[in-house]
mmCIF file of all heavy atoms in Angstrom:
data_model
loop_
_atom_site.group_PDB
_atom_site.id
_atom_site.type_symbol
_atom_site.label_atom_id
_atom_site.label_comp_id
_atom_site.label_asym_id
_atom_site.label_seq_id
_atom_site.Cartn_x
_atom_site.Cartn_y
_atom_site.Cartn_z
ATOM 1 N N SER L 1 29.921 99.478 -19.953
ATOM 2 C CA SER L 1 29.311 100.764 -20.172
ATOM 3 C C SER L 1 28.435 101.166 -19.035
ATOM 4 O O SER L 1 27.831 100.256 -18.396
ATOM 5 C CB SER L 1 28.656 100.812 -21.530
ATOM 6 O OG SER L 1 29.413 100.490 -22.607
ATOM 7 N N LEU L 2 28.341 102.485 -18.908
ATOM 8 C CA LEU L 2 27.442 103.025 -17.909
ATOM 9 C C LEU L 2 27.036 104.427 -18.410
ATOM 10 O O LEU L 2 27.828 105.130 -19.000
ATOM 11 C CB LEU L 2 28.205 103.185 -16.581
ATOM 12 C CG LEU L 2 27.389 103.170 -15.202
ATOM 13 C CD1 LEU L 2 26.522 101.903 -15.129
ATOM 14 C CD2 LEU L 2 28.360 103.335 -14.162
ATOM 15 N N THR L 3 25.773 104.841 -18.121
ATOM 16 C CA THR L 3 25.372 106.249 -18.485
ATOM 17 C C THR L 3 24.983 106.976 -17.251
ATOM 18 O O THR L 3 24.106 106.431 -16.476
ATOM 19 C CB THR L 3 24.115 106.085 -19.484
ATOM 20 O OG1 THR L 3 24.515 105.489 -20.651
ATOM 21 C CG2 THR L 3 23.691 107.576 -19.802
ATOM 22 N N LEU L 4 25.479 108.131 -17.008
ATOM 23 C CA LEU L 4 25.186 108.969 -15.966
ATOM 24 C C LEU L 4 24.191 110.065 -16.389
ATOM 25 O O LEU L 4 24.249 110.473 -17.538
ATOM 26 C CB LEU L 4 26.397 109.554 -15.380
ATOM 27 C CG LEU L 4 27.632 108.670 -14.968
ATOM 28 C CD1 LEU L 4 28.580 109.526 -14.367
ATOM 29 C CD2 LEU L 4 27.113 107.745 -14.035
ATOM 30 N N SER L 5 23.343 110.450 -15.475
ATOM 31 C CA SER L 5 22.384 111.661 -15.766
ATOM 32 C C SER L 5 22.704 112.703 -14.749
ATOM 33 O O SER L 5 22.966 112.462 -13.614
ATOM 34 C CB SER L 5 20.982 111.070 -15.565
ATOM 35 O OG SER L 5 20.706 110.023 -16.594
ATOM 36 N N CYS L 6 22.428 113.937 -15.327
ATOM 37 C CA CYS L 6 22.501 115.169 -14.344
ATOM 38 C C CYS L 6 21.187 115.883 -14.666
ATOM 39 O O CYS L 6 20.953 116.519 -15.723
ATOM 40 C CB CYS L 6 23.673 116.026 -14.798
ATOM 41 S SG CYS L 6 23.754 117.599 -13.970
ATOM 42 N N ALA L 7 20.314 115.757 -13.661
ATOM 43 C CA ALA L 7 19.033 116.450 -13.726
ATOM 44 C C ALA L 7 19.032 117.824 -13.112
ATOM 45 O O ALA L 7 19.458 117.805 -11.864
ATOM 46 C CB ALA L 7 17.964 115.545 -12.975
ATOM 47 N N ALA L 8 18.470 118.737 -13.646
ATOM 48 C CA ALA L 8 18.575 120.163 -13.231
ATOM 49 C C ALA L 8 17.212 120.778 -12.976
ATOM 50 O O ALA L 8 16.142 120.484 -13.702
ATOM 51 C CB ALA L 8 19.387 121.010 -14.212
ATOM 52 N N SER L 9 17.135 121.658 -12.010
ATOM 53 C CA SER L 9 15.883 122.360 -11.776
ATOM 54 C C SER L 9 15.928 123.582 -12.508
ATOM 55 O O SER L 9 16.960 124.071 -13.188
ATOM 56 C CB SER L 9 15.790 122.692 -10.252
ATOM 57 O OG SER L 9 16.783 123.593 -9.850
ATOM 58 N N GLY L 10 14.769 124.386 -12.671
ATOM 59 C CA GLY L 10 14.672 125.650 -13.258
ATOM 60 C C GLY L 10 14.222 125.610 -14.731
ATOM 61 O O GLY L 10 14.701 124.795 -15.450
ATOM 62 N N ARG L 11 13.590 126.572 -15.109
ATOM 63 C CA ARG L 11 13.090 126.663 -16.492
ATOM 64 C C ARG L 11 14.163 127.338 -17.413
ATOM 65 O O ARG L 11 14.064 127.322 -18.702
ATOM 66 C CB ARG L 11 11.855 127.485 -16.606
ATOM 67 C CG ARG L 11 11.893 128.915 -16.065
ATOM 68 C CD ARG L 11 10.545 129.703 -16.146
ATOM 69 N NE ARG L 11 10.593 130.993 -15.512
ATOM 70 C CZ ARG L 11 10.960 132.038 -16.258
ATOM 71 N NH1 ARG L 11 11.342 131.951 -17.559
ATOM 72 N NH2 ARG L 11 10.944 133.257 -15.650
ATOM 73 N N THR L 12 15.280 127.764 -16.874
ATOM 74 C CA THR L 12 16.346 128.426 -17.631
ATOM 75 C C THR L 12 17.496 127.468 -17.770
ATOM 76 O O THR L 12 18.574 127.973 -18.181
ATOM 77 C CB THR L 12 16.796 129.728 -16.987
ATOM 78 O OG1 THR L 12 17.304 129.427 -15.611
ATOM 79 C CG2 THR L 12 15.742 130.630 -16.934
ATOM 80 N N PHE L 13 17.302 126.142 -17.633
ATOM 81 C CA PHE L 13 18.304 125.146 -17.760
ATOM 82 C C PHE L 13 19.046 125.365 -19.083
ATOM 83 O O PHE L 13 20.296 125.107 -19.096
ATOM 84 C CB PHE L 13 17.709 123.773 -17.606
ATOM 85 C CG PHE L 13 18.695 122.696 -17.912
ATOM 86 C CD1 PHE L 13 19.722 122.305 -17.145
ATOM 87 C CD2 PHE L 13 18.595 121.974 -19.155
ATOM 88 C CE1 PHE L 13 20.574 121.266 -17.437
ATOM 89 C CE2 PHE L 13 19.394 120.998 -19.469
ATOM 90 C CZ PHE L 13 20.483 120.634 -18.668
ATOM 91 N N SER L 14 18.283 125.483 -20.198
ATOM 92 C CA SER L 14 18.947 125.573 -21.503
ATOM 93 C C SER L 14 20.016 126.711 -21.674
ATOM 94 O O SER L 14 20.738 126.651 -22.608
ATOM 95 C CB SER L 14 17.983 125.740 -22.575
ATOM 96 O OG SER L 14 17.226 126.916 -22.451
ATOM 97 N N ARG L 15 19.970 127.635 -20.725
ATOM 98 C CA ARG L 15 21.047 128.775 -20.792
ATOM 99 C C ARG L 15 22.295 128.392 -20.127
ATOM 100 O O ARG L 15 23.256 129.200 -20.171
ATOM 101 C CB ARG L 15 20.349 130.000 -20.150
ATOM 102 C CG ARG L 15 19.040 130.447 -20.895
ATOM 103 C CD ARG L 15 18.407 131.503 -20.147
ATOM 104 N NE ARG L 15 19.039 132.747 -20.156
ATOM 105 C CZ ARG L 15 18.626 133.903 -19.597
ATOM 106 N NH1 ARG L 15 17.562 133.895 -18.961
ATOM 107 N NH2 ARG L 15 19.314 135.063 -19.685
ATOM 108 N N TYR L 16 22.422 127.215 -19.492
ATOM 109 C CA TYR L 16 23.586 126.860 -18.756
ATOM 110 C C TYR L 16 24.354 125.789 -19.579
ATOM 111 O O TYR L 16 23.931 124.975 -20.161
ATOM 112 C CB TYR L 16 23.284 126.258 -17.437
ATOM 113 C CG TYR L 16 22.803 127.212 -16.339
ATOM 114 C CD1 TYR L 16 21.450 127.556 -16.378
ATOM 115 C CD2 TYR L 16 23.678 127.803 -15.575
ATOM 116 C CE1 TYR L 16 20.897 128.392 -15.367
ATOM 117 C CE2 TYR L 16 23.128 128.795 -14.580
ATOM 118 C CZ TYR L 16 21.817 129.016 -14.520
ATOM 119 O OH TYR L 16 21.303 129.996 -13.595
ATOM 120 N N SER L 17 25.764 126.094 -19.500
ATOM 121 C CA SER L 17 26.659 125.030 -20.026
ATOM 122 C C SER L 17 26.847 124.114 -18.816
ATOM 123 O O SER L 17 26.929 124.493 -17.690
ATOM 124 C CB SER L 17 27.962 125.580 -20.465
ATOM 125 O OG SER L 17 27.863 126.402 -21.627
ATOM 126 N N ILE L 18 27.087 122.735 -19.086
ATOM 127 C CA ILE L 18 27.160 121.778 -18.073
ATOM 128 C C ILE L 18 28.396 120.954 -18.311
ATOM 129 O O ILE L 18 28.726 120.456 -19.403
ATOM 130 C CB ILE L 18 25.979 120.681 -18.132
ATOM 131 C CG1 ILE L 18 24.670 121.433 -17.913
ATOM 132 C CG2 ILE L 18 26.179 119.648 -17.074
ATOM 133 C CD1 ILE L 18 24.423 122.118 -16.713
ATOM 134 N N GLY L 19 29.220 120.904 -17.217
ATOM 135 C CA GLY L 19 30.423 120.148 -17.169
ATOM 136 C C GLY L 19 30.404 118.855 -16.310
ATOM 137 O O GLY L 19 29.612 118.840 -15.389
ATOM 138 N N TRP L 20 31.102 117.914 -16.723
ATOM 139 C CA TRP L 20 31.295 116.738 -15.827
ATOM 140 C C TRP L 20 32.751 116.595 -15.317
ATOM 141 O O TRP L 20 33.731 116.938 -16.076
ATOM 142 C CB TRP L 20 31.138 115.405 -16.666
ATOM 143 C CG TRP L 20 29.693 115.160 -16.858
ATOM 144 C CD1 TRP L 20 28.959 115.487 -18.069
ATOM 145 C CD2 TRP L 20 28.721 114.481 -16.074
ATOM 146 N NE1 TRP L 20 27.563 115.099 -17.994
ATOM 147 C CE2 TRP L 20 27.535 114.499 -16.679
ATOM 148 C CE3 TRP L 20 28.789 113.969 -14.735
ATOM 149 C CZ2 TRP L 20 26.259 113.908 -16.144
ATOM 150 C CZ3 TRP L 20 27.651 113.321 -14.206
ATOM 151 C CH2 TRP L 20 26.482 113.384 -14.869
ATOM 152 N N PHE L 21 32.960 116.419 -14.021
ATOM 153 C CA PHE L 21 34.197 116.215 -13.378
ATOM 154 C C PHE L 21 34.211 114.920 -12.522
ATOM 155 O O PHE L 21 33.213 114.422 -12.279
ATOM 156 C CB PHE L 21 34.550 117.438 -12.485
ATOM 157 C CG PHE L 21 34.646 118.775 -13.228
ATOM 158 C CD1 PHE L 21 33.483 119.490 -13.609
ATOM 159 C CD2 PHE L 21 35.864 119.246 -13.462
ATOM 160 C CE1 PHE L 21 33.585 120.569 -14.345
ATOM 161 C CE2 PHE L 21 35.952 120.576 -14.172
ATOM 162 C CZ PHE L 21 34.848 121.137 -14.567
ATOM 163 N N ARG L 22 35.402 114.535 -12.147
ATOM 164 C CA ARG L 22 35.508 113.338 -11.311
ATOM 165 C C ARG L 22 36.652 113.462 -10.382
ATOM 166 O O ARG L 22 37.568 114.190 -10.646
ATOM 167 C CB ARG L 22 35.637 111.999 -12.184
ATOM 168 C CG ARG L 22 37.055 111.932 -12.943
ATOM 169 C CD ARG L 22 36.908 110.794 -13.849
ATOM 170 N NE ARG L 22 38.269 110.561 -14.646
ATOM 171 C CZ ARG L 22 38.553 109.687 -15.555
ATOM 172 N NH1 ARG L 22 37.507 108.895 -16.000
ATOM 173 N NH2 ARG L 22 39.661 109.653 -16.209
ATOM 174 N N GLN L 23 36.489 112.722 -9.304
ATOM 175 C CA GLN L 23 37.484 112.779 -8.236
ATOM 176 C C GLN L 23 37.664 111.374 -7.568
ATOM 177 O O GLN L 23 36.743 110.775 -7.032
ATOM 178 C CB GLN L 23 37.082 113.802 -7.167
ATOM 179 C CG GLN L 23 38.185 114.035 -6.149
ATOM 180 C CD GLN L 23 37.978 115.288 -5.325
ATOM 181 O OE1 GLN L 23 36.831 115.742 -5.146
ATOM 182 N NE2 GLN L 23 38.998 115.841 -4.675
ATOM 183 N N ALA L 24 38.855 110.858 -7.643
ATOM 184 C CA ALA L 24 39.232 109.692 -7.043
ATOM 185 C C ALA L 24 39.818 109.883 -5.647
ATOM 186 O O ALA L 24 40.285 110.987 -5.458
ATOM 187 C CB ALA L 24 40.272 108.821 -8.008
ATOM 188 N N PRO L 25 39.710 108.876 -4.745
ATOM 189 C CA PRO L 25 40.387 109.079 -3.380
ATOM 190 C C PRO L 25 41.778 109.551 -3.420
ATOM 191 O O PRO L 25 42.624 109.013 -4.086
ATOM 192 C CB PRO L 25 40.185 107.689 -2.723
ATOM 193 C CG PRO L 25 39.060 106.989 -3.551
ATOM 194 C CD PRO L 25 39.119 107.529 -4.853
ATOM 195 N N GLY L 26 42.102 110.582 -2.732
ATOM 196 C CA GLY L 26 43.409 111.128 -2.646
ATOM 197 C C GLY L 26 43.891 111.874 -3.826
ATOM 198 O O GLY L 26 45.033 112.299 -3.886
ATOM 199 N N LYS L 27 42.971 112.104 -4.899
ATOM 200 C CA LYS L 27 43.285 112.788 -6.131
ATOM 201 C C LYS L 27 42.593 114.101 -6.126
ATOM 202 O O LYS L 27 41.509 114.435 -5.530
ATOM 203 C CB LYS L 27 42.964 111.946 -7.266
ATOM 204 C CG LYS L 27 43.722 110.537 -7.298
ATOM 205 C CD LYS L 27 45.208 110.658 -7.341
ATOM 206 C CE LYS L 27 45.891 109.293 -7.381
ATOM 207 N NZ LYS L 27 47.257 109.344 -7.561
ATOM 208 N N GLU L 28 43.104 115.008 -7.009
ATOM 209 C CA GLU L 28 42.462 116.319 -7.256
ATOM 210 C C GLU L 28 41.251 116.001 -8.231
ATOM 211 O O GLU L 28 41.236 115.012 -8.963
ATOM 212 C CB GLU L 28 43.380 117.235 -8.008
ATOM 213 C CG GLU L 28 44.473 117.617 -7.157
ATOM 214 C CD GLU L 28 44.243 118.640 -6.041
ATOM 215 O OE1 GLU L 28 43.191 119.331 -6.234
ATOM 216 O OE2 GLU L 28 44.823 118.587 -4.996
ATOM 217 N N ARG L 29 40.322 116.914 -8.128
ATOM 218 C CA ARG L 29 39.118 116.838 -9.025
ATOM 219 C C ARG L 29 39.543 117.200 -10.452
ATOM 220 O O ARG L 29 40.250 118.168 -10.668
ATOM 221 C CB ARG L 29 37.968 117.739 -8.470
ATOM 222 C CG ARG L 29 36.732 117.537 -9.249
ATOM 223 C CD ARG L 29 35.506 118.298 -8.575
ATOM 224 N NE ARG L 29 35.298 117.842 -7.218
ATOM 225 C CZ ARG L 29 34.231 118.222 -6.390
ATOM 226 N NH1 ARG L 29 33.440 119.118 -6.891
ATOM 227 N NH2 ARG L 29 34.175 117.648 -5.246
ATOM 228 N N GLU L 30 39.179 116.338 -11.403
ATOM 229 C CA GLU L 30 39.564 116.539 -12.822
ATOM 230 C C GLU L 30 38.509 116.697 -13.722
ATOM 231 O O GLU L 30 37.413 116.117 -13.563
ATOM 232 C CB GLU L 30 40.611 115.549 -13.160
ATOM 233 C CG GLU L 30 39.919 114.129 -13.315
ATOM 234 C CD GLU L 30 40.930 113.068 -13.835
ATOM 235 O OE1 GLU L 30 42.029 113.455 -14.355
ATOM 236 O OE2 GLU L 30 40.580 111.815 -13.862
ATOM 237 N N TYR L 31 38.699 117.416 -14.818
ATOM 238 C CA TYR L 31 37.690 117.708 -15.852
ATOM 239 C C TYR L 31 37.556 116.398 -16.651
ATOM 240 O O TYR L 31 38.476 115.751 -16.935
ATOM 241 C CB TYR L 31 38.159 118.857 -16.778
ATOM 242 C CG TYR L 31 37.457 118.947 -17.957
ATOM 243 C CD1 TYR L 31 36.140 119.469 -18.046
ATOM 244 C CD2 TYR L 31 37.975 118.668 -19.258
ATOM 245 C CE1 TYR L 31 35.393 119.671 -19.153
ATOM 246 C CE2 TYR L 31 37.286 118.837 -20.454
ATOM 247 C CZ TYR L 31 36.013 119.340 -20.414
ATOM 248 O OH TYR L 31 35.363 119.510 -21.494
ATOM 249 N N VAL L 32 36.295 116.109 -17.071
ATOM 250 C CA VAL L 32 35.969 115.006 -17.886
ATOM 251 C C VAL L 32 35.489 115.395 -19.192
ATOM 252 O O VAL L 32 35.965 114.991 -20.289
ATOM 253 C CB VAL L 32 34.991 114.071 -17.212
ATOM 254 C CG1 VAL L 32 34.619 112.897 -18.025
ATOM 255 C CG2 VAL L 32 35.588 113.520 -15.919
ATOM 256 N N ALA L 33 34.374 116.155 -19.217
ATOM 257 C CA ALA L 33 33.582 116.567 -20.489
ATOM 258 C C ALA L 33 32.767 117.778 -20.147
ATOM 259 O O ALA L 33 32.342 118.094 -19.009
ATOM 260 C CB ALA L 33 32.842 115.321 -21.036
ATOM 261 N N ALA L 34 32.233 118.359 -21.244
ATOM 262 C CA ALA L 34 31.329 119.535 -21.131
ATOM 263 C C ALA L 34 30.464 119.629 -22.363
ATOM 264 O O ALA L 34 30.880 119.266 -23.443
ATOM 265 C CB ALA L 34 32.042 120.780 -20.827
ATOM 266 N N ILE L 35 29.420 120.312 -22.221
ATOM 267 C CA ILE L 35 28.424 120.620 -23.355
ATOM 268 C C ILE L 35 27.986 122.006 -23.118
ATOM 269 O O ILE L 35 27.567 122.359 -22.064
ATOM 270 C CB ILE L 35 27.318 119.562 -23.486
ATOM 271 C CG1 ILE L 35 26.474 119.905 -24.778
ATOM 272 C CG2 ILE L 35 26.448 119.470 -22.273
ATOM 273 C CD1 ILE L 35 25.577 118.728 -25.203
#
């Protein structure tokens, strides 16, 4: 298991939806998850 963090600047952070994507060598960037 592993936990990743995404730290954001700005006081309006709560107004943004956040997505996670990943990209392996030689591959297209792909969707993983969102909130």
Side-chain angles (χ1 to χ4, degrees):
S1 299
L2 205 60
T3 299
L4 305 183
S5 298
C6 176
S9 66
R11 60 182 177 86
T12 60
F13 169 75
S14 63
R15 300 171 69 179
Y16 289 88
S17 296
I18 303 295
W20 286 96
F21 295 80
R22 66 188 183 187
Q23 188 167 23
K27 304 294 184 181
E28 297 289 329
R29 190 169 298 186
E30 66 175 354
Y31 171 73
V32 176
I35 185 165

